[in-house]
């Protein structure tokens, strides 16, 4: 059995440790989402908290962890006999990103259900996690259909498995904990709101703290059992403090004044819905219990808001999460002025749950219950505060001012010869708008999404086939038709239908897939006029927003000066693409051919990595090609045309967003679209509310050849 890294041995990360401890004290808080860069011990902290949770009483032999004091009347293993309870540790169940639907919710034996009428059910991870912790690492990479199932279970406290009229229901109430790296993409807003608290973590920049992290980790890897034994006393003290806070929690009074503070804060930050108020109230109550008090104070409301509100006040997918602490303090200060706090009663702040001080056995304000000595070398770590220091909010880099990369000024020319020649500072994007959907033609089999037609596990039924592996979606009519001719040969005498495994047919369904949308953006001097570039960036930002909503991967290539650059390798993080776009300076010549060739190379590599995900190339340009001509070689326009024909020969679906403006237009972008065998679209046609008709399916080489 693997020894878990002790929770009390974790260095730093005050906000994360406190958020996990508050959920251990009060599961009603609703779980925690941990956001942060890779390698910051997010998973280590989550796995460590499970060992501190109190034991749960369950019905002996029940696969669904029914409470013997109040067993689930609809439990598939019920009805349960009285006095059959036993205690066991709370479980922490991990949901892999690539798990199947059957693994998550469980599976019915369809063959036995049809032939014998028996509900033969194999529980899934939701059943295992009931009354425990469900942990999803890289939760932002979870497939949409699994997210839908999690949302249903979290909302109803139960899991339903229904297959062709046969259904099983069981309780599924769990603490949802997720970790994610924002660079790999954001969460759907519906799932984001289901997490009670959110915490941003980052690696410490303090040398001594980093040294202590490495020292403890090496000591643990060398001797896990010995390392855990050295921290056993601190783990026990932390368990006792959690138990004491749980016992105190029902007696904590959330007065009207604290409720009004919470409402003022939530209204002041314009959060959506009422879940924020409820979660903040529960968190403030848990903070008071953790501090050993029976009344909720202003510091509890402030600490709860810092944990419960940052992910609930986002207004757009590209807005950075976070909470303006100055604004929070101002709201609380105004509230204090309008409704001053009465004098404290006889109960003072020094009455802890064990009488040892205001913060219980771990020492004053110590959520981790740290020991006097360090890990293996006696180094002592400074105790963190009970209410976490505010995590640094992520600045909104889309609205920041950017200095010119090469020292260029607004007056620089737009067609200079060097890579940095004529460079201009980055300009902000215009207001994004809703775009028309651009589809890849044909029928794919890629990852589930919302852009192009594809064969998927979910969607409308278009046919039936023999199962490939485990049966996931029964096609009842086709199964009956396959079994009907054999009933007499099988000796059928009664009304039941005799079904064999060879008779089973699964449904073939058609839905939508996510694509790889690769943007190739012209950043040369011909695009550098401020208003024009702002409109172009606004259009690309609108397409990025559309890609976010349709669950696409995106990549960004820019070309200017003498060459093209892969500004963002294909990723699920549309936010990262938006930041790179905003930082993009302009100026110099127009190496269009280099941009197209770079796109071809990127798509070739991505086809090897993920062959089922079909690409859509979006070229944003006015069609000009003005790079330096090589002696005796082809012109820039000829080289661009040759590169475009190579992409067309690869069968890449493409769209050319024509950025040419003014009364006189050369039509170069349209000519490029013809070479790519793609679709030309003006900025006006890109808008969903445009009166100009837009060709919705992008032409490919195969369709062009058939037309020819």
């Amino acid at each position: 059995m693997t020894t878990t890294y002790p929770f009390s041995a974790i260095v730093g990360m005050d906000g994360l440790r406190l958020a996990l401890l508050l959920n251990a004290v009060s599961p009603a808080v609703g779980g925690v989402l941990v956001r942060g860069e890779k390698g910051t011990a997010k998973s280590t902290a989550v796995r460590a908290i499970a060992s501190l949770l109190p034991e749960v009483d369950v019905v002996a032999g029940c696969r669904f962890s029914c409470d013997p004091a109040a067993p689930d009347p609809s439990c598939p293993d019920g009805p349960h006999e009285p006095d059959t309870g036993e205690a066991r540790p709370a479980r922490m169940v991990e949901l892999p990103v690539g798990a199947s639907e059957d693994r998550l919710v469980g599976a019915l034996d369809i063959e036995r259900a049809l032939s014998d009428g028996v509900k033969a059910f194999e529980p899934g991870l939701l059943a295992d996690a009931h009354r425990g912790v469900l942990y999803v690492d890289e939760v932002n990479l979870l497939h949409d259909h699994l997210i839908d199932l999690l949302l249903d279970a979290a909302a109803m406290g139960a899991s339903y498995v229904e297959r062709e009229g046969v259904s099983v229901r069981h309780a599924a109430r769990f603490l949802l904990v997720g970790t994610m790296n924002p660079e790999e993409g954001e969460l759907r807003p519906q799932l984001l709101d289901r997490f009670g608290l959110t915490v941003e973590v980052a690696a410490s920049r303090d040398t001594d703290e980093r040294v202590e992290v490495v020292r403890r980790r090496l000591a643990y890897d060398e001797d896990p059992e010995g390392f855990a034994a050295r921290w056993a006393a601190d783990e026990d003290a932390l368990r006792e403090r959690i138990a004491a806070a749980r016992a105190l929690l029902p007696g904590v009074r959330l007065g009207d004044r604290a409720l009004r503070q919470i409402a003022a804060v939530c209204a002041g930050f314009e959060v959506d819905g009422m879940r924020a108020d409820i979660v903040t109230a529960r968190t403030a109550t848990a903070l008071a219990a953790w501090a050993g008090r029976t009344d909720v104070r202003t510091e509890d409301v402030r600490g709860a808001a810092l944990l419960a509100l940052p992910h609930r006040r986002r207004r757009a997918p590209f807005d950075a999460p976070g909470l303006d602490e100055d604004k929070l303090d101002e709201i609380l200060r105004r509230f204090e002025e309008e409704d001053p706090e009465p004098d404290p009663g006889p109960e003072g702040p020094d009455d802890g749950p064990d009488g040892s001080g205001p913060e219980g056995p771990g020492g004053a304000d110590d959520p981790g219950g740290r020991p006097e000595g360090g890990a293996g070398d006696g180094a002592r770590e400074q105790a963190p505060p009970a209410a976490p220091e505010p995590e640094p909010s992520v600045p909104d880099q889309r609205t920041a001012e950017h200095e010119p990369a090469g020292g260029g000024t607004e007056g620089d020319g737009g067609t200079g010869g060097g890579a940095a020649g004529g460079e201009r500072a980055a300009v902000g994007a215009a207001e994004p708008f809703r775009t028309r959907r651009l589809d890849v033609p044909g029928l794919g089999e890629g990852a589930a999404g919302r852009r192009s037609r594809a064969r998927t596990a979910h969607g409308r039924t278009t046919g039936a086939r023999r199962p490939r592996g485990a049966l996931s979606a029964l096609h009842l009519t086709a199964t009956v038709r396959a079994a009907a001719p054999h009933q007499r040969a099988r000796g059928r005498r009664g009304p039941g239908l005799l079904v064999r495994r060879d008779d089973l047919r699964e449904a073939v369904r058609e839905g939508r897939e996510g694509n790889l949308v690769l943007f190739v953006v012209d950043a040369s001097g011909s695009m550098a006029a401020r208003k024009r570039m702002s409109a172009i960036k606004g259009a690309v930002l609108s397409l990025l927003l559309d890609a976010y909503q349709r669950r696409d991967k995106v990549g960004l290539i820019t070309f200017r000066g003498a060459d093209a650059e892969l500004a963002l390798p294909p990723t699920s993080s549309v936010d990262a693409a938006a930041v790179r776009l905003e930082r993009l300076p302009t100026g110099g010549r127009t190496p269009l051919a280099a941009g197209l060739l770079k796109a071809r190379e990127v798509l070739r590599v991505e086809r090897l990595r993920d062959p089922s995900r079909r690409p859509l190339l979006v070229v944003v340009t006015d069609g000009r090609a003005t790079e330096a001509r090589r002696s005796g070689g082809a012109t820039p326009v000829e080289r661009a045309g040759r590169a475009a024909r190579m992409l067309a020969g690869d069968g890449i679906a493409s769209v050319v967003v024509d950025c040419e403006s003014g009364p006189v237009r050369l039509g170069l972008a349209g000519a490029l679209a013809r070479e790519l065998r793609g679709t030309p679209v003006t900025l006006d046609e890109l808008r969903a509310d445009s009166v100009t008709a837009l060709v919705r399916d992008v032409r490919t080489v195969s369709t062009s050849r058939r037309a020819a």
Side-chain angles (χ1 to χ4, degrees):
M1 179 178 179
T2 304
T3 302
T4 304
Y5 192 92
F7 187 85
S8 52
I10 295 172
V11 178
M13 298 198 297
D14 302 347
L16 171 57
R17 291 187 295 114
L18 182 61
L20 292 171
L21 288 167
L22 292 178
N23 275 277
V25 171
S26 176
V29 166
V32 59
L33 173 65
V34 188
R35 297 165 47 93
E37 59 197 23
K38 55 186 176 294
T40 49
K42 301 185 297 292
S43 300
T44 298
V46 174
R47 294 187 177 101
I49 193 65
S51 63
L52 300 178
L53 297 178
E55 291 187 335
V56 294
D57 292 326
V58 299
V59 173
C62 177
R63 298 175 297 169
F64 302 88
S65 303
C66 280
D67 186 349
D72 183 5
S74 60
C75 176
D77 284 355
H80 297 298
E81 297 293 330
D83 301 326
T84 58
E86 63 180 12
R88 65 159 175 79
R91 291 174 179 162
M92 193 190 75
V93 178
E94 296 194 36
L95 171 61
V97 170
S100 66
E101 180 179 333
D102 287 347
R103 184 71 188 99
L104 178 62
V105 300
L108 284 171
D109 189 330
I110 301 296
E111 183 178 356
R112 291 189 63 191
L114 288 177
S115 58
D116 303 331
V118 176
K119 292 182 181 179
F121 181 70
E122 183 67 27
L125 296 177
L126 290 181
D128 292 341
H130 179 47
R131 304 178 66 201
V133 179
L134 181 63
Y135 171 47
V136 189
D137 193 14
E138 305 294 350
V139 63
N140 52 325
L141 303 183
L142 206 61
H143 290 300
D144 275 4
H145 67 284
L146 296 182
I147 289 178
D148 292 337
L149 294 170
L150 275 181
L151 288 172
D152 289 343
M156 297 183 293
S159 175
Y160 292 84
V161 183
E162 300 193 13
R163 300 287 171 82
E164 305 297 340
V166 181
S167 64
V168 171
R169 175 206 172 276
H170 65 83
R173 291 182 294 275
F174 47 82
L175 187 65
L176 183 60
V177 180
T179 57
M180 60 174 283
N181 183 350
E183 294 178 357
E184 297 173 338
E186 286 292 345
L187 273 178
R188 280 171 53 183
Q190 295 93 331
L191 183 58
L192 185 65
D193 191 49
R194 287 292 174 185
F195 287 96
L197 311 178
T198 185
V199 180
E200 296 275 348
V201 297
S204 173
R205 299 298 182 259
D206 180 79
T207 302
D208 292 338
E209 194 167 272
R210 294 175 74 96
V211 167
E212 186 63 21
V213 169
V214 174
R215 181 181 289 119
R216 294 187 187 186
R217 186 69 210 191
L218 293 178
Y220 169 78
D221 291 340
E222 182 179 349
D223 182 11
E225 289 78 11
F227 184 82
R230 289 194 293 274
W231 290 85
D234 304 285
E235 294 285 280
D236 291 340
L238 207 49
R239 288 190 191 93
E240 292 175 4
R241 186 174 176 189
I242 292 172
R246 277 197 171 194
L248 184 64
L249 186 66
V252 175
R253 184 179 65 88
L254 182 65
D256 184 69
R257 186 176 187 280
L259 277 174
R260 294 181 66 83
Q261 280 183 314
I262 292 169
V265 169
C266 292
F269 282 105
E270 300 180 351
V271 298
D272 295 328
M274 295 300 299
R275 183 175 284 117
D277 302 63
I278 296 170
V279 173
T280 305
R282 289 171 174 166
T283 306
T285 304
L287 274 167
W290 180 249
R293 290 185 270 99
T294 56
D295 62 316
V296 175
R297 301 178 181 176
T298 299
E299 58 264 32
D300 300 323
V301 173
R302 186 183 190 279
L306 290 173
L307 294 171
L309 298 187
H311 61 303
R312 291 189 165 89
R313 60 178 305 271
R314 297 183 59 172
R315 286 292 174 264
F318 304 142
D319 289 344
L323 207 65
D324 186 341
E325 293 190 53
D326 292 336
K327 182 177 179 180
L328 174 60
D329 291 334
E330 175 63 22
I331 293 172
L332 293 174
R333 185 188 62 78
R334 276 202 315 267
F335 186 89
E336 292 289 346
E337 292 175 353
E338 297 171 1
D339 186 10
E341 187 173 6
D343 292 334
E347 180 184 27
D350 296 330
D351 298 326
D354 62 349
S356 60
E359 301 304 330
D365 295 330
D366 183 5
R370 304 287 182 83
E372 289 298 318
D377 67 339
R380 182 173 180 176
E381 185 185 351
Q382 184 178 357
E389 287 298 319
E391 296 288 339
S393 59
V394 180
D396 191 349
Q397 300 180 61
R398 295 192 297 109
T399 58
E401 286 293 328
H402 302 287
E403 294 297 327
T409 65
E410 285 295 315
D412 289 341
T415 57
E423 181 175 295
R424 302 189 181 188
V427 300
E431 190 70 22
F433 52 84
R434 188 167 64 91
T435 66
R436 291 182 179 270
R437 187 176 69 205
L438 305 173
D439 294 348
V440 178
L443 193 64
E445 294 185 350
R450 299 173 185 171
R451 183 172 297 279
S452 305
R453 293 174 54 228
R455 293 187 181 93
T456 59
H458 303 272
R460 63 186 183 91
T461 301
T462 60
R465 66 185 178 192
R466 292 181 180 273
R468 299 176 180 177
L471 179 66
S472 57
L474 178 73
H475 195 296
L476 183 58
T477 304
T479 299
V480 171
R481 283 202 305 264
H486 308 292
Q487 297 304 295
R488 182 175 296 178
R490 292 173 182 173
R492 172 184 167 186
R493 296 292 182 266
L497 184 69
L498 297 180
V499 179
R500 301 289 184 264
R501 180 159 295 277
D502 289 343
D503 302 327
L504 298 178
R505 298 292 183 270
E506 69 178 4
V508 177
R509 292 174 173 169
E510 182 178 311
R512 294 278 173 180
E513 68 176 357
N515 298 109
L516 167 59
V517 182
L518 181 62
F519 293 92
V520 180
V521 180
D522 185 349
S524 65
S526 64
M527 309 279 281
R530 291 189 68 87
K531 290 184 178 179
R532 186 180 181 193
M533 196 63 198
S534 178
I536 292 166
K537 285 187 176 183
V540 178
L541 193 65
S542 303
L543 290 168
L544 285 171
L545 178 59
D546 182 68
Y548 168 83
Q549 294 168 340
R550 300 191 187 281
R551 317 305 290 174
D552 294 319
K553 288 180 68 175
V554 297
L556 178 63
I557 292 173
T558 63
F559 59 94
R560 55 184 290 273
D563 205 355
E565 175 190 3
L566 179 59
L568 182 72
T571 175
S572 297
S573 178
V574 180
D575 299 59
V579 171
R580 302 291 175 88
L581 177 71
E582 282 292 330
R583 292 175 173 175
L584 178 65
T586 56
R589 299 196 178 190
T590 313
L592 177 57
L596 297 176
L597 291 174
K598 174 68 75 172
R600 185 171 186 248
E601 175 62 21
V602 170
L603 293 176
R604 182 189 67 80
V605 173
E606 287 301 310
R607 190 180 295 116
L608 297 174
R609 290 177 177 172
D610 190 358
S612 64
R613 188 181 288 269
R614 298 186 296 163
L616 174 63
L617 181 67
V618 179
V619 184
V620 184
T621 181
D622 57 8
R624 290 181 172 84
T626 60
E627 58 183 310
R629 182 170 179 174
R630 300 168 187 172
S631 176
T635 66
V637 174
E638 291 171 340
R639 288 202 294 272
R642 186 184 307 156
R645 289 190 293 273
M646 293 170 67
L647 282 164
D650 293 339
I652 304 299
S654 60
V655 172
V656 178
V657 180
D658 186 355
C659 301
E660 195 172 29
S661 60
V664 179
R665 305 196 179 195
L666 302 178
L668 297 176
L672 177 64
R674 289 191 293 274
E675 296 282 13
L676 286 167
R677 297 181 185 175
T679 303
V681 181
T682 66
L683 290 176
D684 180 63
E685 291 171 337
L686 197 59
R687 295 178 177 270
D689 54 358
S690 172
V691 296
T692 307
L694 175 65
V695 179
R696 303 185 67 177
D697 287 340
V698 185
R699 292 174 295 170
T700 58
V701 176
S702 58
T703 55
S704 299
R705 288 176 177 172
R706 283 199 298 269

